[in-house]
């Protein structure tokens, strides 16, 4: 099914997810997976991650090959009323021109998932390199949904234009 | 490959592979238990032929969500290899595994071992954009971290004791006291930066994978907050500041005595880590700190006020010298394995745990005994005995060190308490002299 934006119930899962598995492609065309905190901007229909430059290998991989996939599964990791297992394939780009400040625009989304984050940010002098962060912006292209997280059920497929 | 026990530790099981459309695909897996083993199955909608023989990542992940939001207790394992699908069952011929469990590799250590990657990334962006990038924590925090500002308490307290002992004898000039504090602070901060500079060159700070706010150096050079040239400029400027202040006090208050004390202080501060002497690398760091922060600071402050040196000032300097030495000593406990690796043979690298605890207990005992002896030997007022109120704190430090020995992160609270013990005991000792003079 072709859609202009993600289905609402998928957006709810993205907004409630505490962890997602982000898979990028390395220089040998192999998948490399990283559990990360997903941040979803419903207004823009874009999925974000922030990555410290301490763990920057994935950033280099995305710069060379922007194709990524994101999995959200496991009921207890999703704080939303409805739960579905969701896989998103998309095109990513790395925003790293201002590593010190740019990611802070995502703090309102981050705060909703980790309410204590501001206390850590205030202490950024304690882990200065950790708070030098790039933004990974993922534009969803294809979505696969196992409704209610039932993996024995045929998944629904959606494509997004763009 | 995956045991039942793994499923207890990791709820989320997923697999990633490169799909026909060129995108990676990350899918959840169905897990079931079979004859004591774990069976992995593809979810509905993914054909076995699609993944058979492909390079895949098998991911086992865990977090513990917190009721108030957020999560803790992160761990994951990623198995990389070729996938095989037989009779509906998936297996992976494992080639490589990467894992992280924050219980075994605490997050600060994970951060620390990744520092060089972050520095390379910053350099790469710098080259791309034609600018120099460094961690942005602001000028104040950069200075705060680089010079280790909070440790100035280790200078302020002995200065207060020297001033108190002089006041008890009827001497007190606040301007001279401020100048003394300024000069000594410059030398102390210079010592901190020079220590980082030479520890970086000699490898002790670089080897340390578990630094804390109290141990492992300031990390300012390692994190790229300042570069080596800047660090050298900072410690040189601070040493010059100390020398100029010392020279002024020497000219106005007593050339020979202040020149000797300042010279000794500079010598110990610089060669604490600097080659060829590298006192800290030879197990002499504790002696250097005892002399520098005890007799040299207390006698210097006392002399500037009174233009004389007496046994009373020497007696006043011993407890605080021991306490500041113990700040260094306890802070070196978490560093010991890395110091040994880098050839920095501090006392702690030579001691067994029992010996280390004995030295700690003996030094604390000597500290409070030396305070008791001040009035007994008629070298100060009886009111200095209020400093004995710090003894229970010292006992708590001893107990904390004994319980948490060798665990840097669990020792953070103990190291903090140890600094407070020195500050409180030393301040009470100084107050004892002022009270004695007032009575």
């Amino acid at each position: 099914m072709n859609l202009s934006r993600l289905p609402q119930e998928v957006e709810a899962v993205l907004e409630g997810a505490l962890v997602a598995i982000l898979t990028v492609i390395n220089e040998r065309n192999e998948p490399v997976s990283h559990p990360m905190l997903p941040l979803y901007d419903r207004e823009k229909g874009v999925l974000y991650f922030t990555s410290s430059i301490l763990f920057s290998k994935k950033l280099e991989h995305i710069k060379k090959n922007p194709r990524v996939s994101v999995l959200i599964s496991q009921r207890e990791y999703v704080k939303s009323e409805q739960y579905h297992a969701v896989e998103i394939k998309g095109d990513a780009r790395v925003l790293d021109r201002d590593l010190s400040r740019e990611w802070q625009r995502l703090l309102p989304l981050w705060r909703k998932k980790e309410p204590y984050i501001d206390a850590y940010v205030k202490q950024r002098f304690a882990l200065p390199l950790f708070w030098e962060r790039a933004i990974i912006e993922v534009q969803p292209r294809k979505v696969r949904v196992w409704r209610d997280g039932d993996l024995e059920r045929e998944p629904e497929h959606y494509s997004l234009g763009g | 490959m995956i045991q039942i026990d793994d499923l207890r530790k990791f709820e989320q099981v997923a697999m990633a592979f490169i799909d026909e459309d060129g995108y990676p695909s990350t899918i959840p897996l169905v897990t079931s238990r079979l004859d004591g083993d774990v069976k992995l199955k593809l979810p509905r909608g993914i054909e076995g032929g699609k993944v058979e023989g492909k390079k895949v990542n098998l991911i086992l992940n865990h977090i513990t969500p917190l009721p108030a939001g957020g999560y803790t207790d992160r761990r994951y394992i990623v198995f990389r290899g070729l996938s095989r699908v037989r009779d509906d069952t998936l297996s992976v011929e494992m080639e490589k595994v990467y894992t992280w469990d924050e219980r075994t590799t605490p997050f600060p250590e994970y951060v620390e071992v990744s520092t060089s990657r972050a520095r390379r990334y910053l350099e790469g962006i710098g080259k791309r954009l034609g600018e120099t990038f460094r961690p942005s924590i602001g000028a104040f925090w950069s200075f705060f971290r680089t010079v280790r500002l909070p440790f100035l308490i280790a200078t302020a307290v002995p200065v207060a004791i020297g001033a108190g002992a002089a006041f008890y004898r009827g001497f007190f000039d606040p301007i001279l006291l401020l100048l003394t504090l300024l000069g000594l602070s410059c030398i102390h901060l210079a010592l901190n930066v020079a220590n980082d500079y030479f520890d970086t060159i000699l490898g002790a700070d670089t080897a340390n994978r578990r630094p804390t706010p109290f141990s492992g150096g300031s990390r300012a050079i390692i994190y790229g907050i300042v570069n080596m040239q800047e660090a050298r400029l900072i410690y040189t400027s601070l040493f010059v500041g100390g020398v100029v202040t010392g020279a002024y006090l020497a000219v106005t208050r007593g050339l020979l005595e202040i020149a000797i004390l300042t010279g000794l202080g500079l010598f110990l501060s610089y060669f604490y880590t600097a080659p060829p002497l590298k006192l800290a690398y030879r197990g002499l760091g504790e002696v250097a700190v005892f002399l520098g922060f005890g007799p040299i600071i207390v006698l210097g402050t006392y002399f500037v006020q009174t233009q004389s040196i007496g046994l009373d000032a020497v007696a006043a300097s011993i407890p605080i010298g021991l306490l500041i030495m113990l700040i260094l000593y306890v802070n070196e406990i978490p560093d010991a394995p890395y110091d040994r690796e880098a050839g920095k043979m501090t006392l702690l690298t030579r001691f067994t745990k029992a010996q280390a605890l004995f030295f700690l207990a003996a030094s604390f005992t000597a500290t409070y005994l030396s305070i008791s002896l001040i009035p007994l030997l008629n070298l100060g007022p009886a009111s200095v005995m209020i400093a004995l109120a710090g003894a229970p704190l010292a006992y708590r430090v001893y107990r904390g060190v004994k319980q948490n020995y060798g665990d840097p992160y669990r020792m953070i609270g103990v190291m903090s308490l140890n600094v407070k013990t020195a500050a409180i005991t030393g301040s009470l000792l100084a107050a004892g002299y002022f009270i004695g003079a007032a009575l």
Side-chain angles (χ1 to χ4, degrees), chain A residues 17 20 31 46 54 59 68 86 129 141 145:
Chain A
V46 172
L54 288 158
L59 304 175
V68 302
V86 176
L129 289 169
R141 300 293 180 212
V145 180

Side-chain angles (χ1 to χ4, degrees), chain B residues 148 190-207 216-218 221-222 227-229 231-236 239 266-281 339 342-344:
Chain B
R148 289 185 257 174
L191 153 68
N192 289 347
V193 183
N195 171 244
D196 273 351
Y197 179 84
F198 289 108
D199 267 349
T200 304
I201 289 177
L202 298 167
D205 279 357
T206 324
S218 79
I221 299 171
I222 306 264
N227 61 35
M228 293 294 273
Q229 290 80 0
R232 200 166 49 211
L233 182 66
I234 293 168
Y235 79 67
T236 305
F239 272 134
L266 289 168
F267 176 85
L268 292 174
S269 301
Y270 186 73
F271 287 113
Y272 176 74
T273 336
L277 296 185
K278 300 186 293 183
L279 296 169
Y281 284 68
D339 283 344
K344 186 178 182 179

Side-chain angles (χ1 to χ4, degrees), chain A residues 18-19 21 23 25-26 29-33 35 37 53-57 59-60 63 67-69 71 73-74 76-77 79 87 89-91 96-97 99-100 113-116 124-126 128-130 132 141-142 144 146 151-155, chain B residues 11-12 14 16-19 21-30 41 43-46 50 55 57 59 61-63 65-71 76 80 98 107 110-111 114-115 117-118 121-122 125 128-129 135-137 141 145 223 225:
Chain A
L18 289 173
V19 68
I21 296 173
T23 301
I25 299 176
N26 71 10
N29 201 39
E30 295 165 350
V32 185
S33 303
L37 177 76
I53 57 167
L54 288 158
F55 317 116
S56 55
K57 217 170 180 176
L59 304 175
E60 305 290 3
K63 284 179 189 174
R67 292 178 168 181
V68 302
S69 69
L71 173 70
S73 65
Q74 206 61 32
E76 56 269 47
Y77 298 172
K79 295 214 161 183
E87 189 212 11
K89 288 177 180 176
D91 296 318
D96 63 359
R97 280 193 71 92
L99 293 164
S100 302
K113 297 196 174 179
E114 293 188 281
Y116 43 77
R124 67 184 290 172
F125 62 88
L129 289 169
F130 178 72
E132 296 297 309
R141 300 293 180 212
K142 294 176 184 175
R144 188 162 16 208
W146 286 270
L151 303 181
E152 305 287 356
R153 209 151 107 182
E154 201 61 42
Chain B
E11 299 84 8
Q12 190 178 30
F17 58 96
I18 306 298
D19 214 340
D21 56 9
Y23 282 89
S25 186
T26 315
I27 54 168
L29 294 178
V30 181
K41 235 178 72 181
R44 185 65 71 88
I46 307 290
K50 232 179 168 185
K55 275 274 170 74
N57 286 343
I59 309 123
N61 184 41
H62 168 86
I63 56 166
L66 298 169
Y71 53 86
Y76 64 81
R80 304 180 70 180
Y98 58 95
F107 189 68
Y110 194 31
V111 163
S114 310
T115 298
R117 177 177 296 282
Y121 195 84
L122 278 182
I125 292 190
R128 199 178 82 208
L129 300 175
S136 169
I137 53 173
W141 289 115
R145 270 205 80 129
Y223 293 164
I225 294 169

